Amino acid sequence: MASYNVKPSKPVALFGAVGGMAMLAFVLLSGIGRGNGFVWLWAALCVGVVGFNLWAAFSKRGATEVVERRTADEP
């Protein structure tokens, strides 16, 4: 069974990172001072989105999924 790494294009990954940074800026600017844990949970999610997209854009092994292809003789 052959497997192939699927990597997003660099512009798509950078667009996702910029979108994540915009969401992070919004949640920090509008949510500071509210004192609830949801703001920090949302901020941590945004940091994860930015980090994942930057890793996918600039890493040599930045594959976001692996596709396996079966050969004709396999069930």
Side-chain angles (χ1 to χ4, degrees):
M1 184 175 333
S3 63
Y4 303 95
N5 291 333
V6 179
K7 184 176 178 177
S9 66
K10 194 173 282 191
V12 169
L14 289 176
F15 183 75
V18 169
M21 285 188 261
M23 289 189 328
L24 180 62
F26 177 77
V27 76
L28 290 179
L29 292 175
S30 66
I32 291 295
R34 295 198 180 171
N36 60 7
F38 181 73
V39 171
W40 299 113
L41 179 66
W42 190 261
L45 177 70
C46 291
V47 168
V49 166
V50 170
F52 180 75
N53 279 292
L54 290 176
W55 169 75
F58 296 111
S59 175
K60 295 280 187 204
R61 298 179 48 92
T64 57
E65 61 183 291
V66 176
V67 176
E68 294 182 350
R69 185 172 182 205
R70 294 183 180 191
T71 59
D73 58 343
E74 290 183 29

